[in-house]
Amino acid sequence: MIYIVTALPCEASPIVKKYDLKRDSACRHFPLYRGDDMFLIVSGVGKMASAIATAYLIAQNVKLDGAGGEEGLAIINIGVCGTLNQRYPIGTPLLIHKVIDHETGKQYFPDILIEHPFEEGSIETHNDVVRREDVLSGRVELQADLVDMEASGFFQAASRFLALHQIYVIKVVGDYLDVVDFDRQRVAQCVSGVMDALDGFIKQVEGLCRVEGDVLTQDERLQLERVKESLRLTVTQSHQLMDMARRYKLRTGRPLPDLSEFIQTRVKVKAEGRKAIERIRKLFLYE
Amino acid sequence: MRESESCSFMSKFSHIYIEERAAAYPVAQHVLSRFPGSIRVMIRHYKDVFNRPHQDFRRQKASTKLILAVKQEPFLYPGPEVCEDFGNQNFYYTSPVLNCIYDCDYCYLQGLYPSANIVIFVNIEDFCKAVDRQLESGPLYLCPSYDTDLLALEGIVPYASRWIEFAGTRQGLRIELRTRSANYSAIADLNPVEQVILAWSLSPHEVARRYERLAPSLKARLTAIRAALQDGWQVRLCFEPLIKVHNWQQVYREFLDEVFSIIPAERVFDTNIGVFRMSKEQFKRISRLRSDTDVFAFPTVCREGGVVTYEDEKEIRGFFYQNLNRYLPEEKIYG
Ligand code: SF4
């Protein structure tokens, strides 16, 4: 499950279109869109707004999400940003490896473990719009490659709930801190231009965050239940049996070995059960 | 881990996090020169990265990052009770590197730190100065390869050779460099130093193959040991932890036969035996982290003092001792 947070509707619209997301009219607090494996929320501008929407999205939806719950999801903040560095052409997407909050000076580091198609960079989140002349005159000193107004709020909120490999910030260079008239279409174009790369990245992230369901099949669970019964295993022994079976499957990748002889055995005294479980242990360890 | 089936991880050390104050140190420059293609991220303090909450140890192990940092006092720590001091007074350990490039299923480092990333402290001179200060009050027995495997890392940061050279110039200092690597060639050009013991951890092929991921095979380690002995180094063999496997008696008997068919027993400095043991908390934490291994499949008990070990720990130790004793006299066997 992928959660996406954008600040503006024009940043959201290419994503909504690409994944055919539907507006959830039941959500009164934010524009919220949903698809099969995706939620998208439009937070509004600013780090506080981003943090609130991020926390809302995670807290509201984690419990609805069957596949692995909190562990199986990832959250991505996507949007445009500014930079003074002309090295980045307009429309360049960057995956952020360091987020600096300008006002508090705090730094945050996502965990980048998977291959990705983006250049990487750092971003500094400001409360106010940063203009070129502020930087050139020395009124504002920049510590990072990029400037935005959301990333630090998003990251702080998301990392309250999720592990670091589940949180990503992707920013597309939209301007050189020289915006005079805000142009929604241009912003939407910037995000549209990275949709293919984003799509590939999302697949990678899903792979990374996938939580496997129970490795035992229903048949195998049934078989083990029968073994427990016929061997009259204690609660502890039953736990051990299930644990051994799961580890066997994880280690070997094969179906469980044949346990029918244990199902046919009817033990009368506990000691026999103990002996049988030792034999099963050997079977699971060395089959 | 299964996740790797569905995503491709970045290579080891794809990112190097560098403390601002560490960047200028020669060791930092050396490490960086080894990884020209890595992405460099400047940080204020290594703990800003290493101690972040909610890191996933197993996933990080698949794409470990390096962190270069400057260590502050204390540099030396008294050796813990549970570790063998081999009859040495003033047993201390020091950690110029945190975490290890190998990935043993039973490793106590798993979850000991909040991160699987490797920290290299670049101010090695400060560690050496701390040793000199300690030496003023008497001899010192020091383990600098304690929370890591320095010889395995020698190609990245030459700390094994650094400690060897340092020990060679100090009276009263004795150093144990413990390793699971086969990387003897990285230090083979150094002259053997009397104050240094190269200590190799060895496990039967069956244990190494199943539970010591990324570490070299038993054969490779034995070849390295033989070369070190031939060059005149003092070599300690550490049979620790003894991990129980099916037919363990036969496995461990044949293992010792193999070891001493390659290594001349009379040249071995000493050995130690340690049946698998771990604090209850560590055991719980690692069992939780590692659902993908059956290394803890044999029944364990929690002894007084909260130590988890095999229920037949004594029997395993006794058996191993007897067999080791076929090759080595009692006074060369510790633990
Ligand atoms: S070699 Fe030692 S430190 Fe490294 S993973 Fe194995 S047990 Fe842990």
Side-chain angles (χ1 to χ4, degrees):
Chain A
M1 179 66 74
I2 298 289
Y3 291 180
I4 291 178
V5 183
T6 69
L8 303 167
C10 54
E11 292 169 326
S13 62
I15 304 168
V16 169
K17 205 163 136 206
K18 162 97 183 167
Y19 293 103
D20 196 20
L21 306 180
K22 300 282 179 279
R23 178 82 187 245
D24 181 346
S25 51
C27 176
R28 292 177 295 116
H29 311 287
F30 296 93
L32 178 71
Y33 299 82
R34 50 171 79 212
D36 286 344
D37 299 310
M38 191 179 277
F39 283 93
L40 182 149
I41 198 164
V42 180
S43 67
V45 173
K47 59 190 177 195
M48 179 69 93
S50 187
I52 294 168
T54 302
Y56 174 84
L57 183 61
I58 299 174
Q60 282 292 305
N61 291 292
V62 153
K63 46 187 183 294
L64 306 176
D65 177 8
E70 218 162 83
E71 264 181 70
L73 65 86
I75 191 162
I76 310 176
N77 173 216
I78 302 171
V80 292
C81 65
T83 180
L84 259 199
N85 194 337
Q86 306 266 345
R87 182 170 82 77
Y88 303 114
I90 299 295
T92 307
L94 287 101
L95 180 62
I96 302 305
H97 57 220
K98 172 158 85 172
V99 178
I100 304 170
D101 185 292
H102 176 77
E103 280 70 32
T104 65
K106 289 208 167 120
Q107 304 190 342
Y108 306 92
F109 301 90
D111 246 358
I112 300 180
L113 305 176
I114 45 173
E115 297 279 2
H116 60 79
F118 307 110
E119 190 168 335
E120 289 187 22
S122 55
I123 197 158
E124 189 169 331
T125 303
H126 289 245
N127 271 341
D128 303 305
V129 174
V130 178
R131 300 194 188 285
R132 199 175 175 79
E133 52 274 19
D134 298 331
V135 184
L136 297 179
S137 67
R139 270 199 302 278
V140 174
E141 200 187 324
L142 295 185
Q143 314 276 333
D145 307 320
L146 310 171
V147 179
D148 87 331
M149 295 177 73
E150 286 82 29
S152 69
F154 161 79
F155 196 88
Q156 282 181 81
S159 56
R160 271 302 286 225
F161 298 90
L162 304 179
L164 293 166
H165 68 275
Q166 297 173 283
I167 308 169
Y168 299 91
V169 179
I170 295 174
K171 294 284 160 164
V172 187
V173 174
D175 59 74
Y176 296 116
L177 308 180
D178 53 0
V179 176
V180 184
D181 288 319
F182 182 76
D183 182 347
R184 285 190 191 82
Q185 224 170 358
R186 210 172 112 108
V187 170
Q189 264 167 12
C190 279
V191 177
S192 290
V194 305
M195 284 313 296
D196 284 346
L198 178 68
D199 190 47
F201 181 70
I202 285 177
K203 291 206 172 77
Q204 277 272 68
V205 170
E206 281 174 333
L208 175 73
C209 297
R210 182 163 299 138
V211 177
E212 302 297 339
D214 193 353
V215 283
L216 298 172
T217 64
Q218 205 165 353
D219 277 354
E220 286 170 333
R221 277 202 299 271
L222 210 66
Q223 203 188 6
L224 291 163
E225 284 307 319
R226 293 215 188 103
V227 173
K228 283 186 208 170
E229 261 173 48
S230 43
L231 298 182
R232 295 175 59 196
L233 299 184
T234 63
V235 176
T236 316
Q237 286 169 331
S238 300
H239 281 315
Q240 280 179 2
L241 178 73
M242 297 305 280
D243 189 51
M244 286 190 296
R246 290 199 173 93
R247 284 175 194 272
Y248 171 87
K249 286 203 75 179
L250 284 170
R251 180 173 62 80
T252 63
R254 295 201 299 263
L256 288 189
D258 182 16
L259 298 173
S260 49
E261 74 163 295
F262 299 99
I263 294 172
Q264 281 142 23
T265 324
R266 293 276 149 202
V267 310
K268 294 192 186 65
V269 283
K270 288 244 161 77
E272 287 177 50
R274 235 187 349 258
K275 268 193 196 143
I277 200 138
E278 278 318 304
R279 282 182 36 226
I280 297 179
R281 191 190 313 280
K282 260 181 214 156
L283 200 63
F284 281 156
L285 273 171
Y286 293 97
E287 242 273 312
Chain B
M1 68 194 281
R2 286 169 73 82
E3 283 78 6
S4 59
E5 288 163 20
S6 45
C7 70
S8 39
F9 283 96
M10 294 187 102
S11 59
K12 233 182 204 15
F13 311 145
S14 60
H15 292 68
I16 304 184
Y17 295 89
I18 311 157
E19 263 187 12
E20 284 151 11
R21 58 188 172 165
Y25 280 79
V27 172
Q29 292 304 317
H30 174 88
V31 174
L32 290 170
S33 73
R34 303 283 295 104
F35 300 99
S38 295
I39 292 169
R40 301 170 184 196
V41 184
M42 298 307 292
I43 58 177
R44 291 202 196 108
H45 196 283
Y46 81 94
K47 290 184 180 171
D48 293 347
V49 176
F50 195 65
N51 285 10
R52 290 168 298 168
H54 297 172
Q55 297 179 71
D56 186 306
F57 189 92
R58 287 311 305 154
R59 287 183 172 88
Q60 286 183 334
K61 254 319 199 188
S63 175
T64 313
K65 317 299 187 196
L66 274 182
I67 302 171
L68 304 178
V70 174
K71 173 91 169 90
Q72 287 183 320
E73 298 265 18
F75 293 97
L76 308 183
Y77 303 90
E81 291 265 313
V82 288
C83 292
E84 178 60 58
D85 60 10
F86 297 89
N88 290 284
Q89 304 272 303
N90 300 322
F91 164 28
Y92 281 79
Y93 73 95
T94 183
S95 300
V97 176
L98 308 177
N99 279 333
C100 178
I101 55 169
Y102 299 143
D103 189 15
C104 304
D105 289 10
Y106 51 75
C107 179
Y108 77 99
L109 291 176
Q110 301 177 88
L112 176 68
Y113 300 119
S115 177
N117 294 330
I118 294 180
V119 180
I120 298 177
F121 292 113
V122 296
N123 52 327
I124 191 71
E125 288 78 11
D126 294 333
F127 286 80
C128 295
K129 280 183 202 148
V131 172
D132 279 337
R133 282 197 297 276
Q134 188 66 33
L135 280 171
E136 284 167 15
S137 48
L140 177 64
Y141 172 66
L142 184 69
C143 297
S145 190
Y146 189 80
D147 288 335
T148 187
D149 189 319
L150 284 188
L151 194 56
L153 285 166
E154 187 71 5
I156 297 169
V157 61
Y159 276 175
S161 48
R162 184 64 198 258
W163 281 108
I164 290 170
E165 281 162 4
F166 176 71
T169 61
R170 296 297 187 276
Q171 292 286 322
L173 177 61
R174 167 158 288 227
I175 278 184
E176 184 209 74
L177 276 176
R178 195 173 284 214
T179 187
R180 264 187 183 75
S181 82
N183 202 16
Y184 173 65
S185 58
I187 53 164
D189 56 338
L190 300 177
N191 288 325
V193 171
E194 204 189 321
Q195 293 94 318
V196 175
I197 297 162
L198 301 180
W200 260 278
S201 298
L202 295 177
S203 319
H205 170 68
E206 179 62 14
V207 172
R209 182 185 66 80
R210 287 171 81 115
Y211 305 126
E212 295 177 357
R213 214 168 71 84
L214 306 180
S217 66
L218 171 63
K219 276 224 156 57
R221 282 182 241 180
L222 290 177
T223 309
I225 295 170
R226 196 172 51 187
L229 282 170
Q230 265 164 9
D231 289 348
W233 289 91
Q234 298 177 118
V235 171
R236 167 173 294 153
L237 303 181
C238 304
F239 301 108
E240 186 184 36
L242 297 182
I243 295 287
K244 208 169 157 184
V245 285
H246 179 48
N247 267 342
W248 60 269
Q249 289 96 333
Q250 189 185 343
V251 167
Y252 276 100
R253 196 183 312 113
E254 289 175 3
F255 161 60
L256 284 173
D257 292 344
E258 184 180 355
V259 168
F260 292 108
S261 71
I262 295 174
I263 292 172
E266 67 286 357
R267 302 262 287 271
V268 170
F269 184 72
D270 60 14
T271 61
N272 83 310
I273 305 175
V275 178
F276 163 75
R277 321 175 89 213
M278 198 172 261
S279 76
K280 197 165 114 196
E281 294 70 37
Q282 272 172 357
F283 184 74
K284 265 199 193 149
R285 197 180 55 217
I286 295 173
S287 307
R288 227 187 3 250
L289 269 175
R290 301 300 306 262
S291 56
D292 57 337
T293 175
D294 51 21
V295 67
F296 302 139
F298 285 89
T300 52
V301 285
C302 186
R303 299 237 189 271
E304 226 174 284
V307 174
V308 175
T309 183
Y310 295 122
E311 52 187 17
D312 46 359
E313 175 202 15
K314 282 210 172 76
E315 188 191 338
I316 300 171
R317 193 199 169 277
F319 177 88
F320 194 85
Y321 179 88
Q322 270 180 3
N323 279 277
L324 185 57
N325 200 208
R326 288 191 287 135
Y327 293 100
L328 290 169
E330 202 178 317
E331 60 277 14
K332 283 198 175 187
I333 305 175
Y334 289 87

